[in-house]
Structure formats: C-alpha cells, structure tokens
Amino acid sequence: MDQNYSNYLDSDEWKELRQRLIQRSGGNCEICGDFIGKSGQVHHISYGNLFEEGDEDVEYVCKYCHSGFSNSNKWCFCCGLRLVGDFLRW
C-alpha cells in the first residue's frame, strides 16, 4: 500500500469523513442495510477525488459487502449484489 495513502487513513480528515458517513448511514451498511455501528468500513465509489473525497465519493459498508466489492468479481458476498459499471444490480 502506498505510504501516502496509509498516512491519509490515519489523518484527522479521514477520521472526520468516516464519522460523517457513520452519521449519514445511522450506523447501517449502505449496501445491505445491516446495522454495523462503528465497525464498518469506508468504500470508495470513485477514486477520482482521492485525498479530497466528498461524501458522494464514498459509502459506509459492512466488511462483507466491502470484501465483495473489493474482489475481482465485483459482487457482494453478503447480499448478492453485483457491481456493473458504476451501478449495483441483483
């Protein structure tokens, strides 16, 4: 992993972004809807604004949805959604 990215994940800006996402989602995974509290992960919908993400560039997800969208098949282990282009499909 790039050292700049690792440092960014430890920054106050990243922590504030993550906190906003937890508040926006009510502590629920924004993909499957399961309650995850503060144990969720931030998923980049787009890396186009990396290091300067807006709330629209990221979503708060459970570890199962995040690992599914991080795999090469681009599908969620948790809820079965597939990522097709920039859209989620059943």
Side-chain angles (χ1 to χ4, degrees), residues 1 7 11-12 22 26 34-35 49 58 71 73 75 84 88:
M1 182 180 294
N7 290 341
S11 72
D12 289 339
I22 293 170
D34 283 353
F35 180 76
N49 296 317
V58 290
N71 75 26
N73 294 323
W75 63 277
V84 179
L88 297 173

Side-chain angles (χ1 to χ4, degrees), residues 17-41 55 58-62:
L17 174 64
R18 186 176 187 282
Q19 188 59 41
R20 283 197 313 272
L21 294 177
I22 293 170
Q23 290 175 348
R24 176 180 80 186
S25 70
N28 295 309
C29 175
E30 293 186 282
I31 302 223
C32 70
D34 283 353
F35 180 76
I36 50 178
K38 293 184 177 183
S39 68
Q41 301 172 353
D55 291 358
V58 290
E59 58 193 349
Y60 192 61
V61 298
C62 68

Side-chain angles (χ1 to χ4, degrees), residues 33-80:
D34 283 353
F35 180 76
I36 50 178
K38 293 184 177 183
S39 68
Q41 301 172 353
V42 176
H43 170 69
H44 281 86
I45 298 168
S46 167
Y47 284 95
N49 296 317
L50 188 61
F51 303 117
E52 297 180 10
E53 297 92 347
D55 291 358
E56 68 279 359
D57 297 316
V58 290
E59 58 193 349
Y60 192 61
V61 298
C62 68
K63 66 181 180 180
Y64 303 107
C65 287
H66 198 215
S67 66
F69 287 116
S70 297
N71 75 26
S72 60
N73 294 323
K74 301 295 183 194
W75 63 277
C76 179
F77 300 121
C78 177
C79 60

